[in-house]
């Protein structure tokens, strides 16, 4: 990734996503997962709509369907899995498992599109995942939250693959707004079917609740998604996707700063592995090719 702008936006996206874990943990103290996420995404989508009317919108039913599918995976399945997982496992473990998505991205790209990756890129992705595991002290609890978070990682990898394949057809702001709005509506529909809806305004902590919701809507949703889609549209998605390994590291640092969680020394060893993994995936060489491009 050579462009300073893309690099800055990528790191901003990873930092915002990492902070979202402890912030999301705070939100679960006053609302159930689907309710909190529905408020987050519907609120973000509605706030963006007035700024979109001059931007190019999808002109066919097929494009709207693709946008809806991205919203289903990126906003609904990924985030529902993450937030449901944090009800039974620590936010750090949730960030670890959901951050396996770069590995799933490579696997799905290979299986579905026959994309060829260099061995050094596979090694970098694996090393990055090992680094993420080290930051967690290799401590994973096989509770329901484990499977929710692992499923979120798979859905995230697939959503990134779809975005990298279909994203060029959409304006970044339009795609971010509508996929969040669609995902939020789906979560709102699923809410009474899959959980016991709960949302409580605590007058003693009203300022904190408003700040949490404001961060989730403004930073974790609008700014984060717009930045990420811009990066995916203007860079190699395989290289950009590996930076997602930074999310659990930033999440643990944010948990230490915001929630007073313990920050163990082995986190820094994991950070070294993550950095090396990112370097290997971005190591100069031929980009990954699909069979069609390779034949050409």
């Amino acid at each position: 990734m050579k462009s300073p702008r893309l690099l800055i936006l990528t790191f901003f996206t990873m930092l915002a996503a990492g902070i979202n874990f402890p912030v999301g943990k705070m939100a679960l103290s006053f609302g159930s997962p689907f309710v909190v996420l529905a408020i987050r995404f519907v609120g973000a989508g509605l706030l963006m709509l007035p700024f979109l009317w001059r931007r190019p919108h999808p002109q066919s039913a097929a494009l709207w369907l693709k946008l809806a599918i991205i919203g289903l995976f990126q906003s609904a399945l990924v985030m529902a899995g993450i937030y449901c997982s944090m009800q039974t496992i620590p936010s750090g473990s949730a960030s670890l498992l959901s951050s396996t998505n770069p590995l799933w991205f490579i696997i799905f790209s290979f299986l579905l599109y026959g994309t060829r990756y260099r061995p050094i890129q596979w090694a970098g992705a694996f090393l990055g995942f090992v680094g993420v595991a080290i930051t967690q002290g290799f401590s994973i609890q096989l509770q329901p939250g484990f499977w929710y978070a692992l499923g979120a990682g798979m859905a995230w990898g697939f959503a990134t693959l779809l975005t990298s394949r279909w994203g060029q057809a959409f304006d970044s702001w339009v795609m971010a707004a509508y996929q969040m709005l669609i995902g939020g509506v789906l979560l709102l529909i699923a809410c009474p079917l899959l959980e016991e809806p709960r949302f409580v305004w605590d007058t003693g902590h009203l300022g904190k609740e408003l700040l949490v919701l404001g961060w989730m809507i403004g930073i974790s949703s609008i700014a984060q998604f717009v930045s990420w889609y811009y990066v995916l549209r203007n860079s190699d998605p395989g290289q950009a996707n590996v930076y997602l390994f930074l999310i659990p590291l930033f999440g643990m640092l944010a948990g230490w700063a915001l929630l007073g969680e313990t920050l163990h020394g082995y986190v820094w060893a994991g950070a070294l592995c993550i950095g090396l993994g990112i370097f290997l995936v971005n190591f100069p060489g031929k980009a990954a090719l699909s069979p069609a491009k390779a034949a050409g």
Side-chain angles (χ1 to χ4, degrees):
M1 190 175 293
K2 298 180 180 180
S3 169
R5 175 186 294 179
L6 290 176
L7 194 60
I8 291 172
L9 288 176
T10 299
F11 272 92
F12 165 76
T13 303
M14 302 307 106
L15 180 61
I19 294 175
N20 186 51
F21 283 92
V23 171
K25 195 80 170 180
M26 295 178 192
L28 291 176
S29 67
F30 57 83
S32 56
F34 282 47
V35 172
V36 168
L37 288 170
I39 293 173
R40 169 184 169 178
F41 290 130
V42 171
L46 291 177
L47 283 175
M48 293 181 70
L49 285 182
F51 302 96
L52 301 180
W53 66 281
R54 287 188 176 181
R55 291 181 174 271
H57 282 56
Q59 298 298 311
S60 67
L63 287 177
W64 279 108
L65 178 60
K66 288 181 177 180
L67 197 53
I69 293 173
I70 292 175
L72 169 65
F73 280 92
Q74 183 69 65
S75 288
L77 295 181
V78 172
M79 300 310 302
I82 290 173
Y83 276 57
C84 287
S85 73
M86 289 193 294
Q87 293 185 308
T88 56
I89 63 175
S91 60
S93 296
S95 65
L96 159 65
L97 293 167
S98 62
S99 293
T100 57
N101 58 81
L103 212 53
W104 296 115
F105 174 86
I106 291 177
I107 292 171
F108 290 144
S109 296
F110 175 74
L111 293 177
L112 299 178
Y113 294 101
T115 304
R116 300 206 304 259
Y117 290 94
R118 291 173 291 135
I120 195 171
Q121 291 179 297
W122 285 100
F126 178 75
L127 185 59
F129 178 65
V130 169
V132 170
I134 292 174
T135 65
Q136 301 297 310
F138 295 100
S139 175
I140 300 176
Q141 303 174 17
L142 289 177
Q143 298 186 26
F146 172 90
W147 303 109
Y148 281 127
L150 187 63
M154 297 177 68
W156 199 344
F158 189 64
T160 304
L161 175 61
L162 294 181
T163 302
S164 68
R165 290 278 169 172
W166 298 343
Q168 294 295 329
F170 302 101
D171 175 84
S172 298
W173 282 76
V174 169
M175 181 164 61
Y178 284 108
Q179 69 88 12
M180 286 191 294
L181 195 55
I182 291 169
V185 169
L186 292 175
L187 288 166
L188 198 59
I189 294 172
C191 177
L193 303 175
L194 300 178
E195 70 175 11
E196 295 183 8
R198 177 179 63 88
F199 190 85
V200 179
W201 285 113
D202 184 351
T203 55
H205 299 88
L206 186 59
K208 176 184 176 181
E209 293 185 9
L210 290 174
L211 183 61
V212 167
L213 289 175
W215 176 276
M216 292 173 64
I217 292 172
I219 305 300
S220 295
S221 298
I222 297 175
Q224 179 185 323
F225 276 112
V226 170
S227 298
W228 182 233
Y229 288 146
Y230 180 85
V231 169
L232 290 180
R233 282 170 54 90
N234 294 278
S235 67
D236 178 356
Q239 292 183 352
N241 201 46
V242 78
Y243 283 91
L244 293 168
F245 281 129
L246 289 170
I247 292 177
L249 178 61
F250 288 147
M252 291 191 68
L253 291 172
W256 167 74
L258 298 177
L259 302 178
E261 297 176 351
T262 303
L263 189 60
H264 299 284
Y266 50 72
V267 171
W268 306 113
L272 181 61
C273 288
I274 292 171
L276 183 57
I278 291 173
F279 172 76
L280 292 178
V281 170
N282 288 278
F283 193 80
K286 294 181 178 180
L289 295 177
S290 64
K293 291 182 179 179

